[in-house]
Amino acid sequence: MMSQDKRNVNKQTTGHVWDDDLEELTNPLPMWWVWGFYITCVFAIVYWLLYPAWPVASSYTKGLPAINTITYTATTVDGKEVQKTTHWNMRSKFMAEMNELKAAQKQWFDKVASTSYEAVASDADLMQFVNSAGKTLFTDNCMPCHQAGGQGKIGIAPNLTDDYWQYGGSYQQINTTIVAGRHGVMPAFKQVLSADELNQVVNYVLSLSGEPHNADKAKAGDSLFHGPKAGCYVCHGDDAKGKVELGSANLTDKIWLWADVAGAANEQEKVTLLTNLIYAGINRGVMPAWSARLNPEQIKLLTVYVHDSLGGGK
Ligand code: HEC
Ligand code: HEC
């Protein structure tokens, strides 16, 4: 009873009562709320004037053009560049920003294109661009075969970070490799060599890089390698170090691309790997040509990236 009295005395109500004791107060709205409301109204009106807002028949109020239109360069289906002005939307904004980025990038690509390889390599700013743009290009195009860091994978594609180059490690040679592609082919020897001869050649190849081998067989293999029957020397050279014009492998280092001799567990496994390889020949190593897929500026940048950023260049 007491609390009811107090309420009736202290509070203004509209006089409506529901459920015997539910009353409606007539307190004024708090000031912060009232101001918040006015500000919202003003904001809404300004917004309607500046931005697209109200539907009108089949169109809408456009707002202030300076704020609401975006102009960007678009490429048409037939490859022409046109200036396009549209009302503001996320897609147009994205296109405009991409254009700006591309223009900024183009300046750098042009700089790399017009500078000699050696000068690019010794210019810290240009190399910073080469490192970042090269990494993206490499990841997009080369990584599937040469792996993320360019370290390659046996049986797939060679390591580009070491000092050994099948096709030559000068800027010009690397550029030619990327532009035109490479395809190393070694004939099969199954019809040329008997099983014994094959085994002798295999032992000779093992001896070349200090792998365990049978010395007598290797000696006979040496004669075959340098003789007319097998004729390995024709492609691999008298010193068995390979020829860059052919991309024939250097057989005297411990770097292997097709037969993982260095990684094989024991002599027997090494012999088997090499026997199978020489028996069947090699026709797997296809480095694609990029001249149709990348422009010359991108290829030049990748050349420097492979030569200097990956670090194996000569
Ligand atoms: C489809 C797999 C594949 C892709 C993609 C690929 N390569 Fe190759 N690349 C190879 C193979 C395989 C070889 C070795 C060819 C051979 O042994 O005849 C090679 C060889 C090379 C060589 C020569 C290495 C040497 O020792 O002389 C360079 C340089 C090279 N690639 C760079 C690149 C670059 C740069 C890209 C990206 C633009 C790229 N490759 C993309 C498979 C690929
Ligand atoms: C017509 C030229 C040619 C002749 C002849 C030739 N090779 Fe090769 N050989 C190549 C080429 C090219 C490659 C590299 C293939 C590639 O990388 O795609 C190669 C690769 C190899 C490899 C693989 C090396 C690795 O890194 O895995 C071995 C081993 C080899 N040759 C041994 C021989 C032996 C032994 C003979 C003789 C019985 C011989 N080759 C005859 C062209 C030749």
Side-chain angles (χ1 to χ4, degrees):
M1 265 299 132
M2 215 190 99
S3 67
Q4 180 146 27
D5 288 339
K6 202 174 169 196
R7 189 172 58 208
N8 287 340
V9 170
N10 294 340
K11 293 189 178 159
Q12 295 284 320
T13 76
T14 56
H16 297 139
V17 179
W18 293 269
D19 275 353
D20 295 338
D21 58 355
L22 246 176
E23 295 162 311
E24 194 179 345
L25 301 178
T26 59
N27 290 349
L29 293 163
M31 283 313 277
W32 65 262
W33 194 95
V34 175
W35 277 109
F37 179 70
Y38 291 150
I39 291 167
T40 314
C41 293
V42 172
F43 177 85
I45 291 164
V46 173
Y47 188 93
W48 297 340
L49 293 173
L50 294 183
Y51 291 95
W54 293 102
V56 180
S58 64
S59 180
Y60 53 88
T61 56
K62 297 276 182 347
L64 204 67
I67 299 180
N68 297 300
T69 56
I70 272 189
T71 304
Y72 63 93
T73 314
T75 313
T76 59
V77 224
D78 43 335
K80 281 200 201 94
E81 292 203 332
V82 289
Q83 290 286 319
K84 244 185 157 169
T85 301
T86 67
H87 65 275
W88 199 101
N89 61 44
M90 286 310 281
R91 186 172 178 280
S92 302
K93 183 173 188 313
F94 175 72
M95 295 296 288
E97 283 176 2
M98 283 296 287
N99 282 334
E100 272 172 37
L101 283 176
K102 266 194 221 149
Q105 257 211 350
K106 190 175 179 311
Q107 289 186 337
W108 286 96
F109 269 113
D110 288 350
K111 231 183 209 170
V112 170
S114 62
T115 309
S116 77
Y117 287 116
E118 290 76 10
V120 173
S122 56
D123 182 317
D125 288 342
L126 282 179
M127 275 314 287
Q128 206 176 344
F129 176 67
V130 167
N131 286 335
S132 67
K135 188 168 185 187
T136 309
L137 278 172
F138 194 87
T139 306
D140 289 352
N141 300 288
C142 325
M143 189 188 79
C145 297
H146 291 283
Q147 313 297 302
Q151 76 277 19
K153 200 166 187 183
I154 287 176
I156 298 194
N159 185 340
L160 303 178
T161 67
D162 60 16
D163 286 337
Y164 167 59
W165 296 92
Q166 223 174 311
Y167 295 95
S170 72
Y171 287 114
Q172 206 45 60
Q173 286 164 320
I174 294 174
N175 194 264
T176 305
T177 297
I178 304 173
V179 168
R182 301 284 191 183
H183 184 182
V185 178
M186 170 164 133
F189 284 87
K190 58 183 163 204
Q191 267 144 28
V192 180
L193 300 175
S194 69
D196 280 347
E197 288 170 329
L198 192 58
N199 192 249
Q200 290 161 355
V201 167
V202 165
N203 273 281
Y204 175 63
V205 171
L206 285 173
S207 76
L208 287 170
S209 57
E211 295 285 354
H213 60 278
N214 176 309
D216 290 339
K217 287 184 181 173
K219 195 149 180 274
D222 185 348
S223 310
L224 281 163
F225 190 97
H226 292 99
K229 190 160 187 201
C232 315
Y233 74 99
V234 175
C235 294
H236 289 279
D238 273 335
D239 57 4
K241 287 191 172 155
K243 295 183 176 172
V244 289
E245 317 87 74
L246 295 172
S248 52
N250 181 346
L251 304 175
T252 67
D253 58 19
K254 294 184 185 302
I255 297 169
W256 299 92
L257 180 54
W258 304 112
D260 186 11
V261 173
N266 52 48
E267 188 175 343
Q268 188 47 50
E269 213 175 283
K270 293 174 202 279
V271 168
T272 307
L273 280 172
L274 279 175
T275 305
N276 292 342
L277 190 85
I278 299 167
Y279 182 83
I282 306 171
N283 196 0
R284 290 174 278 174
V286 180
M287 158 73 184
W290 295 91
S291 52
R293 276 174 273 195
L294 299 172
N295 64 39
E297 293 82 41
Q298 290 172 313
I299 292 181
K300 177 156 185 191
L301 188 130
L302 269 174
T303 302
V304 182
Y305 182 78
V306 169
H307 188 282
D308 296 291
S309 306
L310 295 181
K314 276 185 186 158

